[in-house]
Amino acid sequence: FPNGLLSFTFDDNWSMMPDIAAVTLGRHDFPATAYVIIDYIGKQDRATHDQLHDLQLHGWDIAVHAFTGAHHDARFPTLPAEVVEDDLVDARAWLMRYGFHGHHHCAYPGGDFSYGGATVLPIVGRYFTSCRTIFQRQREAWPPSDPLKLRVLYVPSGTSRAAVELAVDRARDHHEWIILVFHKLVSGEPALTTEWKTSDFEQVVEHVAASGIEVETVSSALAR
């Protein structure tokens, strides 16, 4: 990747994905990867089944975050192994049943895959090609050192637009893969750490377009 590689990713299937993120990215034909919680689909302020299919038609990956919101909020390493496996298998099967092609890929709830002596890596490795963390002390290499521990630039409310743009430029200059992680985009000032300003996101997308860095979904990047 002479100009580096970038993947936009979104967690928790907020309704702003089709309403805001996809519209903004679509101005440059940029795809993204959505990691969804299955039992949130169609709930208040969440993307619907039809909206997710429309995103896929526009090049997005629809991938696994969790099957239930309760398991997502508890974090996988706190749960019995059989509960984690059932959740992941059910989520993957649901995506396959309804024709979503990103079912080989997942993101750990909260980015957590191992603490307190527990690890979910063996379970994840049985069913998925990749799984994304929110670990960001290092950027992702190419090829990834471990596709089950994809490293990212997590973008919570305290992250400045300038910091994101600088990271994009560094990935381009160093021929790296940068995976950006967003949750919910909001029009006003963020009230939660998982929110980020829509206006900043729009300017970052314009910066990415001007930078010349390649933009692909996680699955397309790993298929190279």
Side-chain angles (χ1 to χ4, degrees), residues 2-223:
N3 295 318
L5 179 65
L6 183 146
S7 295
F8 290 98
T9 71
F10 296 88
D11 288 1
D12 300 351
N13 37 305
W14 292 101
S15 60
M16 62 80 213
M17 287 195 312
D19 295 340
I20 297 172
V23 173
T24 303
L25 294 170
R27 294 172 187 149
H28 299 284
D29 294 324
F30 290 159
T33 299
Y35 294 101
V36 300
I37 302 168
I38 302 303
D39 72 359
Y40 284 0
I41 295 171
K43 299 291 179 65
Q44 184 177 2
D45 204 20
R46 308 285 176 158
T48 67
H49 182 278
D50 288 345
Q51 287 175 321
L52 293 177
H53 266 294
D54 189 59
L55 290 175
Q56 179 168 268
L57 288 173
H58 287 83
W60 283 48
D61 280 341
I62 309 300
V64 169
H65 204 18
F67 190 81
T68 75
H71 293 160
H72 170 273
D73 293 346
R75 306 302 191 236
F76 284 168
T78 71
L79 301 171
E82 62 271 18
V83 173
V84 173
E85 185 161 18
D86 285 348
D87 185 277
L88 290 171
V89 169
D90 288 347
R92 185 173 181 270
W94 191 95
L95 292 182
M96 294 172 70
R97 177 183 178 186
Y98 290 104
F100 292 106
H101 308 315
H103 54 80
H104 292 303
H105 305 276
C106 68
Y108 301 102
D112 296 330
F113 56 85
S114 179
Y115 60 86
T119 179
V120 299
L121 292 173
I123 299 171
V124 170
R126 286 198 286 272
Y127 300 102
F128 296 94
T129 301
S130 78
C131 209
R132 202 215 66 211
T133 70
I134 55 172
F135 182 75
Q136 57 179 350
R137 290 182 63 186
Q138 294 174 303
R139 297 293 171 263
E140 191 49 78
W142 187 262
S145 57
D146 188 341
L148 297 182
K149 300 178 185 178
L150 291 178
R151 299 170 291 188
V152 306
L153 175 62
Y154 179 42
V155 187
S157 59
T159 303
S160 70
R161 176 171 56 86
V164 177
E165 293 176 351
L166 179 61
V168 170
D169 292 345
R170 285 176 174 168
R172 176 200 60 203
D173 295 343
H174 297 140
H175 321 296
E176 294 174 337
W177 182 18
I178 183 169
I179 302 172
L180 300 179
V181 180
F182 300 92
H183 282 77
K184 189 177 184 181
L185 302 176
V186 296
S187 57
E189 289 298 321
L192 302 172
T193 58
T194 51
E195 296 177 343
W196 214 55
K197 289 180 67 173
T198 298
S199 57
D200 284 343
F201 178 75
E202 291 171 339
Q203 292 183 68
V204 163
V205 172
E206 293 304 313
H207 183 86
V208 169
S211 74
I213 195 170
E214 291 190 54
V215 177
E216 294 195 10
T217 63
V218 170
S219 69
S220 295
L222 288 169

